[in-house]
Amino acid sequence: MRIAVVGTGYVGLVTGTCLADSGNRVTCLDINTEKIVRLQKGEIPIYEPGLEELVARNTAVGRLVFTTDTVAAIESAEIVFLAVGTPPSADGAADLSALWAVIDSIAAHLHPLAVIVTKSTVPVGTCAGIEKRLLTRTGRVCRVASNPEFLKEGAAIEDFQKPDRVVVGVRSADIADILRNLYAPFLRTENPFLVMSPESSEMTKYVANALLATKISFINEVANLCERMEADIDDVRRGIGHDSRIGFAFLFPGAGYGGSCFPKDVQALAAMARDKGLVPRVLNAVHETNLLQKHILGEKISASFGGHLAGRKIAIWGLAFKPRTDDIRDAPAIDLIEQLLLGASQVTVYDPEAMGNVRAIYGDRLVYATGAMDALNGAECLAIVTEWGDFRHPDFVDMARRMAAPIIFDGRNLYSPVDMHARGFTYHSIGKSPVISR
Ligand SMILES: NC(=O)c1ccc[n+]([C@@H]2O[C@H](COP(=O)([O-])OP(=O)(O)OC[C@H]3O[C@@H](n4cnc5c(N)ncnc54)[C@H](O)[C@@H]3O)[C@@H](O)[C@H]2O)c1
């Protein structure tokens, strides 16, 4: 099929590339000229494992092209995916200005039978709003569908090519059939293709993310309690996780959730509830708990220095909101950096992929290490914020030798407190009382 993907970010680029790889002719459209020029030269503007190779393979055979030319991208497209950002506005509701700008710019160029599909995460009722807006702009009833994306950054290609399920929201069976055919190559292991109304489909995406965020805030809250009760959150996890009604997924305590999705989607769902006169008590609590959790490491570090952070040399390992991505949107590391800079600490940072994005924000206010070990030279403590595989088995002897004091604040519980104590470290983790660490 001939496909246009509007918005060539994390979701648009992965979607366009994977659809090209399954034999479709895909044009990725973006208003960011610099991004498109880089892609045309074969440079990938984001870090996503496996993406570079897949883009190269499909551009080489001409199935995947990048453009800023709306007419060229849209006029022959049978399916137009919308994958622009939907960031939070001041009241937490999704800001749809990019999406409406796209609708207005593509309306005149759409093929009469084109199917317009929202892949962006959009509030319930957006598909209906697009139908109305396109009717006004084109004078005809356009074919609109919802198809929320569930990929995880860091494993985006695998998730797109082997989805747990594909959800589509449509008003007619023939549109469902078009999308079923498109996704057939990715559903050969019989994972379900779920057809529902656009409203249910739009809601599904928010509910999925809100539930995952709820699990994280819940385990973080009880982890903080464990620390004060001489209980060990890892033992408690084992104790509850074997219950088949509970399980282990998404119940890892840490320094809070970040990224471009969970924080904004929880707030957007809460905004929808408020808009309908409901009080989103659980969602509000999930969000507030997370905001506090993102400050936990900074508070522990400050307390260990008696509240005096000024001039302290502090190293941070991990800046991306999670491993295997360079995405730092709403990352807990950013909150920690802000806390430490506010206290006038000297902060040295290291991340395998996100250094460029952090440098673009902080410039010379931080020191950028060339490697994980390099970051530790002279550090009075280390904070670990992202659980990159690179940090799981470091040379602890070398670490202790480089640091001014062997103190670690681990926001991802990478090591055993008992082992770390034996190695001579003062090791603070999440959800384990200092008594357990001895
Ligand atoms: N990132 C994820 O892991 C993920 C997962 C599932 C769903 N989503 C959802 O997908 C959507 C996109 O997220 P993302 O992370 O890919 O965003 P992104 O910020 O990485 O990419 C958005 C792209 O849209 C482009 N854009 C903005 N206005 C445009 C316009 N008028 N015309 C053409 N291009 C335009 C931007 O230049 C940018 O390249 C969001 O709604 C998000 O919630 C994201």
mmCIF file of all heavy atoms in Angstrom, residues 388-420:
data_model
loop_
_atom_site.group_PDB
_atom_site.id
_atom_site.type_symbol
_atom_site.label_atom_id
_atom_site.label_comp_id
_atom_site.label_asym_id
_atom_site.label_seq_id
_atom_site.Cartn_x
_atom_site.Cartn_y
_atom_site.Cartn_z
ATOM 1 N N TRP A 388 20.853 1.049 32.830
ATOM 2 C CA TRP A 388 21.551 0.541 31.645
ATOM 3 C C TRP A 388 22.286 -0.742 32.001
ATOM 4 O O TRP A 388 22.880 -0.844 33.088
ATOM 5 C CB TRP A 388 22.572 1.579 31.160
ATOM 6 C CG TRP A 388 21.981 2.715 30.381
ATOM 7 C CD1 TRP A 388 21.609 3.933 30.873
ATOM 8 C CD2 TRP A 388 21.723 2.756 28.968
ATOM 9 N NE1 TRP A 388 21.127 4.718 29.848
ATOM 10 C CE2 TRP A 388 21.184 4.028 28.674
ATOM 11 C CE3 TRP A 388 21.894 1.842 27.926
ATOM 12 C CZ2 TRP A 388 20.819 4.410 27.383
ATOM 13 C CZ3 TRP A 388 21.525 2.220 26.647
ATOM 14 C CH2 TRP A 388 20.988 3.490 26.382
ATOM 15 N N GLY A 389 22.334 -1.697 31.056
ATOM 16 C CA GLY A 389 23.073 -2.942 31.281
ATOM 17 C C GLY A 389 24.528 -2.662 31.624
ATOM 18 O O GLY A 389 25.145 -3.382 32.427
ATOM 19 N N ASP A 390 25.092 -1.582 31.051
ATOM 20 C CA ASP A 390 26.500 -1.232 31.269
ATOM 21 C C ASP A 390 26.827 -1.026 32.755
ATOM 22 O O ASP A 390 27.971 -1.119 33.152
ATOM 23 C CB ASP A 390 26.861 0.098 30.577
ATOM 24 C CG ASP A 390 26.364 0.196 29.158
ATOM 25 O OD1 ASP A 390 25.254 -0.294 28.880
ATOM 26 O OD2 ASP A 390 27.072 0.775 28.335
ATOM 27 N N PHE A 391 25.805 -0.694 33.563
ATOM 28 C CA PHE A 391 26.073 -0.359 34.971
ATOM 29 C C PHE A 391 25.902 -1.563 35.895
ATOM 30 O O PHE A 391 26.151 -1.461 37.097
ATOM 31 C CB PHE A 391 25.113 0.749 35.453
ATOM 32 C CG PHE A 391 25.136 2.006 34.622
ATOM 33 C CD1 PHE A 391 23.994 2.800 34.501
ATOM 34 C CD2 PHE A 391 26.287 2.420 33.960
ATOM 35 C CE1 PHE A 391 23.995 3.959 33.735
ATOM 36 C CE2 PHE A 391 26.307 3.577 33.183
ATOM 37 C CZ PHE A 391 25.165 4.349 33.076
ATOM 38 N N ARG A 392 25.470 -2.695 35.344
ATOM 39 C CA ARG A 392 25.079 -3.796 36.232
ATOM 40 C C ARG A 392 26.259 -4.546 36.852
ATOM 41 O O ARG A 392 26.147 -5.062 37.962
ATOM 42 C CB ARG A 392 24.177 -4.788 35.487
ATOM 43 C CG ARG A 392 22.782 -4.229 35.293
ATOM 44 C CD ARG A 392 21.804 -5.256 34.768
ATOM 45 N NE ARG A 392 20.520 -4.625 34.490
ATOM 46 C CZ ARG A 392 19.548 -4.458 35.390
ATOM 47 N NH1 ARG A 392 19.713 -4.918 36.617
ATOM 48 N NH2 ARG A 392 18.425 -3.851 35.060
ATOM 49 N N HIS A 393 27.375 -4.618 36.128
ATOM 50 C CA HIS A 393 28.517 -5.368 36.667
ATOM 51 C C HIS A 393 29.796 -4.547 36.549
ATOM 52 O O HIS A 393 30.723 -4.929 35.824
ATOM 53 C CB HIS A 393 28.678 -6.704 35.928
ATOM 54 C CG HIS A 393 27.476 -7.578 36.054
ATOM 55 N ND1 HIS A 393 27.176 -8.250 37.218
ATOM 56 C CD2 HIS A 393 26.483 -7.865 35.174
ATOM 57 C CE1 HIS A 393 26.042 -8.921 37.043
ATOM 58 N NE2 HIS A 393 25.609 -8.695 35.821
ATOM 59 N N PRO A 394 29.877 -3.429 37.255
ATOM 60 C CA PRO A 394 31.074 -2.596 37.141
ATOM 61 C C PRO A 394 32.229 -3.191 37.967
ATOM 62 O O PRO A 394 32.018 -4.100 38.780
ATOM 63 C CB PRO A 394 30.620 -1.259 37.740
ATOM 64 C CG PRO A 394 29.567 -1.638 38.722
ATOM 65 C CD PRO A 394 28.891 -2.869 38.199
ATOM 66 N N ASP A 395 33.410 -2.658 37.734
ATOM 67 C CA ASP A 395 34.579 -3.048 38.531
ATOM 68 C C ASP A 395 34.522 -2.233 39.818
ATOM 69 O O ASP A 395 34.916 -1.070 39.863
ATOM 70 C CB ASP A 395 35.842 -2.722 37.708
ATOM 71 C CG ASP A 395 37.113 -3.059 38.467
ATOM 72 O OD1 ASP A 395 37.063 -3.196 39.715
ATOM 73 O OD2 ASP A 395 38.161 -3.176 37.808
ATOM 74 N N PHE A 396 34.030 -2.872 40.882
ATOM 75 C CA PHE A 396 33.787 -2.126 42.121
ATOM 76 C C PHE A 396 35.088 -1.635 42.769
ATOM 77 O O PHE A 396 35.115 -0.595 43.415
ATOM 78 C CB PHE A 396 32.994 -2.986 43.112
ATOM 79 C CG PHE A 396 31.573 -3.234 42.670
ATOM 80 C CD1 PHE A 396 31.169 -4.480 42.230
ATOM 81 C CD2 PHE A 396 30.637 -2.206 42.690
ATOM 82 C CE1 PHE A 396 29.860 -4.707 41.814
ATOM 83 C CE2 PHE A 396 29.328 -2.415 42.272
ATOM 84 C CZ PHE A 396 28.936 -3.674 41.832
ATOM 85 N N VAL A 397 36.160 -2.388 42.570
ATOM 86 C CA VAL A 397 37.452 -1.974 43.152
ATOM 87 C C VAL A 397 37.899 -0.672 42.489
ATOM 88 O O VAL A 397 38.292 0.295 43.168
ATOM 89 C CB VAL A 397 38.509 -3.091 42.967
ATOM 90 C CG1 VAL A 397 39.880 -2.633 43.463
ATOM 91 C CG2 VAL A 397 38.060 -4.362 43.669
ATOM 92 N N ASP A 398 37.788 -0.638 41.163
ATOM 93 C CA ASP A 398 38.162 0.570 40.418
ATOM 94 C C ASP A 398 37.260 1.743 40.824
ATOM 95 O O ASP A 398 37.709 2.882 40.983
ATOM 96 C CB ASP A 398 38.051 0.287 38.910
ATOM 97 C CG ASP A 398 38.675 1.386 38.068
ATOM 98 O OD1 ASP A 398 39.532 2.122 38.594
ATOM 99 O OD2 ASP A 398 38.292 1.506 36.876
ATOM 100 N N MET A 399 35.977 1.435 41.009
ATOM 101 C CA MET A 399 35.033 2.499 41.409
ATOM 102 C C MET A 399 35.474 3.128 42.733
ATOM 103 O O MET A 399 35.576 4.353 42.843
ATOM 104 C CB MET A 399 33.618 1.920 41.591
ATOM 105 C CG MET A 399 32.888 1.622 40.307
ATOM 106 S SD MET A 399 31.290 0.837 40.609
ATOM 107 C CE MET A 399 30.297 2.225 41.134
ATOM 108 N N ALA A 400 35.716 2.271 43.718
ATOM 109 C CA ALA A 400 36.069 2.781 45.048
ATOM 110 C C ALA A 400 37.374 3.571 44.993
ATOM 111 O O ALA A 400 37.542 4.574 45.692
ATOM 112 C CB ALA A 400 36.183 1.607 46.031
ATOM 113 N N ARG A 401 38.308 3.110 44.151
ATOM 114 C CA ARG A 401 39.605 3.786 44.030
ATOM 115 C C ARG A 401 39.439 5.196 43.449
ATOM 116 O O ARG A 401 40.077 6.143 43.871
ATOM 117 C CB ARG A 401 40.498 2.935 43.119
ATOM 118 C CG ARG A 401 41.981 3.221 43.209
ATOM 119 C CD ARG A 401 42.788 2.210 42.394
ATOM 120 N NE ARG A 401 42.292 1.988 41.049
ATOM 121 C CZ ARG A 401 42.458 2.818 40.021
ATOM 122 N NH1 ARG A 401 43.091 3.968 40.200
ATOM 123 N NH2 ARG A 401 41.982 2.515 38.829
ATOM 124 N N ARG A 402 38.529 5.343 42.495
ATOM 125 C CA ARG A 402 38.344 6.632 41.833
ATOM 126 C C ARG A 402 37.562 7.630 42.679
ATOM 127 O O ARG A 402 37.765 8.834 42.589
ATOM 128 C CB ARG A 402 37.591 6.442 40.504
ATOM 129 C CG ARG A 402 38.420 5.796 39.419
ATOM 130 C CD ARG A 402 37.525 5.425 38.250
ATOM 131 N NE ARG A 402 38.255 4.727 37.217
ATOM 132 C CZ ARG A 402 38.703 5.295 36.097
ATOM 133 N NH1 ARG A 402 38.508 6.573 35.875
ATOM 134 N NH2 ARG A 402 39.339 4.587 35.191
ATOM 135 N N MET A 403 36.612 7.124 43.478
ATOM 136 C CA MET A 403 35.717 8.038 44.196
ATOM 137 C C MET A 403 36.396 8.622 45.432
ATOM 138 O O MET A 403 37.202 7.954 46.083
ATOM 139 C CB MET A 403 34.424 7.311 44.617
ATOM 140 C CG MET A 403 33.595 6.851 43.415
ATOM 141 S SD MET A 403 32.119 5.923 43.877
ATOM 142 C CE MET A 403 31.054 7.247 44.467
ATOM 143 N N ALA A 404 36.033 9.874 45.761
ATOM 144 C CA ALA A 404 36.563 10.476 46.986
ATOM 145 C C ALA A 404 35.967 9.778 48.200
ATOM 146 O O ALA A 404 36.604 9.692 49.255
ATOM 147 C CB ALA A 404 36.227 11.968 47.008
ATOM 148 N N ALA A 405 34.741 9.289 48.056
ATOM 149 C CA ALA A 405 34.100 8.500 49.114
ATOM 150 C C ALA A 405 33.230 7.447 48.430
ATOM 151 O O ALA A 405 32.507 7.770 47.491
ATOM 152 C CB ALA A 405 33.240 9.406 49.997
ATOM 153 N N PRO A 406 33.298 6.188 48.895
ATOM 154 C CA PRO A 406 32.552 5.114 48.205
ATOM 155 C C PRO A 406 31.080 5.080 48.628
ATOM 156 O O PRO A 406 30.644 4.184 49.350
ATOM 157 C CB PRO A 406 33.302 3.848 48.624
ATOM 158 C CG PRO A 406 33.848 4.184 49.979
ATOM 159 C CD PRO A 406 34.098 5.661 50.022
ATOM 160 N N ILE A 407 30.348 6.078 48.160
ATOM 161 C CA ILE A 407 28.927 6.193 48.550
ATOM 162 C C ILE A 407 28.066 6.146 47.288
ATOM 163 O O ILE A 407 28.298 6.906 46.350
ATOM 164 C CB ILE A 407 28.666 7.516 49.305
ATOM 165 C CG1 ILE A 407 29.592 7.626 50.515
ATOM 166 C CG2 ILE A 407 27.207 7.622 49.711
ATOM 167 C CD1 ILE A 407 29.539 8.981 51.210
ATOM 168 N N ILE A 408 27.069 5.260 47.290
ATOM 169 C CA ILE A 408 26.199 5.128 46.122
ATOM 170 C C ILE A 408 24.733 5.289 46.538
ATOM 171 O O ILE A 408 24.290 4.672 47.512
ATOM 172 C CB ILE A 408 26.385 3.752 45.445
ATOM 173 C CG1 ILE A 408 27.821 3.592 44.937
ATOM 174 C CG2 ILE A 408 25.401 3.587 44.276
ATOM 175 C CD1 ILE A 408 28.110 2.250 44.283
ATOM 176 N N PHE A 409 24.017 6.112 45.786
ATOM 177 C CA PHE A 409 22.565 6.213 45.919
ATOM 178 C C PHE A 409 21.986 5.579 44.660
ATOM 179 O O PHE A 409 22.065 6.160 43.589
ATOM 180 C CB PHE A 409 22.138 7.689 46.036
ATOM 181 C CG PHE A 409 22.619 8.327 47.300
ATOM 182 C CD1 PHE A 409 23.888 8.904 47.359
ATOM 183 C CD2 PHE A 409 21.831 8.310 48.436
ATOM 184 C CE1 PHE A 409 24.357 9.460 48.527
ATOM 185 C CE2 PHE A 409 22.291 8.880 49.613
ATOM 186 C CZ PHE A 409 23.564 9.454 49.664
ATOM 187 N N ASP A 410 21.449 4.379 44.823
ATOM 188 C CA ASP A 410 21.010 3.620 43.654
ATOM 189 C C ASP A 410 19.493 3.736 43.491
ATOM 190 O O ASP A 410 18.733 3.172 44.288
ATOM 191 C CB ASP A 410 21.434 2.153 43.815
ATOM 192 C CG ASP A 410 21.105 1.323 42.578
ATOM 193 O OD1 ASP A 410 20.435 1.846 41.666
ATOM 194 O OD2 ASP A 410 21.525 0.146 42.530
ATOM 195 N N GLY A 411 19.068 4.454 42.471
ATOM 196 C CA GLY A 411 17.631 4.637 42.216
ATOM 197 C C GLY A 411 17.019 3.489 41.451
ATOM 198 O O GLY A 411 15.838 3.539 41.091
ATOM 199 N N ARG A 412 17.798 2.447 41.134
ATOM 200 C CA ARG A 412 17.254 1.314 40.363
ATOM 201 C C ARG A 412 17.571 -0.046 40.981
ATOM 202 O O ARG A 412 17.374 -1.084 40.343
ATOM 203 C CB ARG A 412 17.773 1.364 38.915
ATOM 204 C CG ARG A 412 17.374 2.619 38.156
ATOM 205 C CD ARG A 412 15.870 2.762 37.949
ATOM 206 N NE ARG A 412 15.495 4.098 37.511
ATOM 207 C CZ ARG A 412 14.261 4.573 37.484
ATOM 208 N NH1 ARG A 412 13.249 3.834 37.897
ATOM 209 N NH2 ARG A 412 14.004 5.792 37.084
ATOM 210 N N ASN A 413 18.115 -0.050 42.208
ATOM 211 C CA ASN A 413 18.394 -1.294 42.940
ATOM 212 C C ASN A 413 19.170 -2.314 42.108
ATOM 213 O O ASN A 413 18.767 -3.465 41.956
ATOM 214 C CB ASN A 413 17.076 -1.920 43.444
ATOM 215 C CG ASN A 413 16.484 -1.117 44.598
ATOM 216 O OD1 ASN A 413 17.016 -0.073 44.969
ATOM 217 N ND2 ASN A 413 15.413 -1.614 45.162
ATOM 218 N N LEU A 414 20.319 -1.887 41.574
ATOM 219 C CA LEU A 414 21.089 -2.767 40.694
ATOM 220 C C LEU A 414 21.917 -3.805 41.445
ATOM 221 O O LEU A 414 22.241 -4.849 40.900
ATOM 222 C CB LEU A 414 22.024 -1.927 39.810
ATOM 223 C CG LEU A 414 21.397 -0.939 38.837
ATOM 224 C CD1 LEU A 414 22.456 -0.360 37.911
ATOM 225 C CD2 LEU A 414 20.317 -1.616 38.007
ATOM 226 N N TYR A 415 22.296 -3.498 42.687
ATOM 227 C CA TYR A 415 23.257 -4.364 43.380
ATOM 228 C C TYR A 415 22.663 -4.891 44.691
ATOM 229 O O TYR A 415 21.685 -4.352 45.205
ATOM 230 C CB TYR A 415 24.547 -3.586 43.676
ATOM 231 C CG TYR A 415 25.044 -2.738 42.524
ATOM 232 C CD1 TYR A 415 25.315 -1.376 42.694
ATOM 233 C CD2 TYR A 415 25.222 -3.291 41.251
ATOM 234 C CE1 TYR A 415 25.757 -0.590 41.643
ATOM 235 C CE2 TYR A 415 25.664 -2.509 40.191
ATOM 236 C CZ TYR A 415 25.919 -1.160 40.386
ATOM 237 O OH TYR A 415 26.338 -0.385 39.345
ATOM 238 N N SER A 416 23.352 -5.909 45.227
ATOM 239 C CA SER A 416 22.925 -6.460 46.516
ATOM 240 C C SER A 416 23.489 -5.586 47.645
ATOM 241 O O SER A 416 24.708 -5.364 47.714
ATOM 242 C CB SER A 416 23.447 -7.891 46.650
ATOM 243 O OG SER A 416 23.727 -8.174 48.003
ATOM 244 N N PRO A 417 22.639 -5.101 48.541
ATOM 245 C CA PRO A 417 23.135 -4.272 49.649
ATOM 246 C C PRO A 417 24.175 -5.003 50.494
ATOM 247 O O PRO A 417 25.152 -4.406 50.945
ATOM 248 C CB PRO A 417 21.875 -3.979 50.467
ATOM 249 C CG PRO A 417 20.752 -4.105 49.497
ATOM 250 C CD PRO A 417 21.175 -5.177 48.528
ATOM 251 N N VAL A 418 23.973 -6.304 50.691
ATOM 252 C CA VAL A 418 24.915 -7.063 51.523
ATOM 253 C C VAL A 418 26.285 -7.110 50.847
ATOM 254 O O VAL A 418 27.324 -6.851 51.465
ATOM 255 C CB VAL A 418 24.358 -8.492 51.775
ATOM 256 C CG1 VAL A 418 25.375 -9.340 52.526
ATOM 257 C CG2 VAL A 418 23.040 -8.404 52.532
ATOM 258 N N ASP A 419 26.298 -7.416 49.537
ATOM 259 C CA ASP A 419 27.568 -7.457 48.793
ATOM 260 C C ASP A 419 28.254 -6.090 48.807
ATOM 261 O O ASP A 419 29.469 -5.997 48.967
ATOM 262 C CB ASP A 419 27.339 -7.860 47.329
ATOM 263 C CG ASP A 419 26.912 -9.307 47.196
ATOM 264 O OD1 ASP A 419 26.914 -10.009 48.226
ATOM 265 O OD2 ASP A 419 26.553 -9.713 46.071
ATOM 266 N N MET A 420 27.473 -5.046 48.632
ATOM 267 C CA MET A 420 28.057 -3.700 48.562
ATOM 268 C C MET A 420 28.671 -3.311 49.902
ATOM 269 O O MET A 420 29.725 -2.686 49.953
ATOM 270 C CB MET A 420 26.997 -2.666 48.141
ATOM 271 C CG MET A 420 26.495 -2.848 46.723
ATOM 272 S SD MET A 420 27.815 -2.878 45.493
ATOM 273 C CE MET A 420 28.188 -1.145 45.380
#
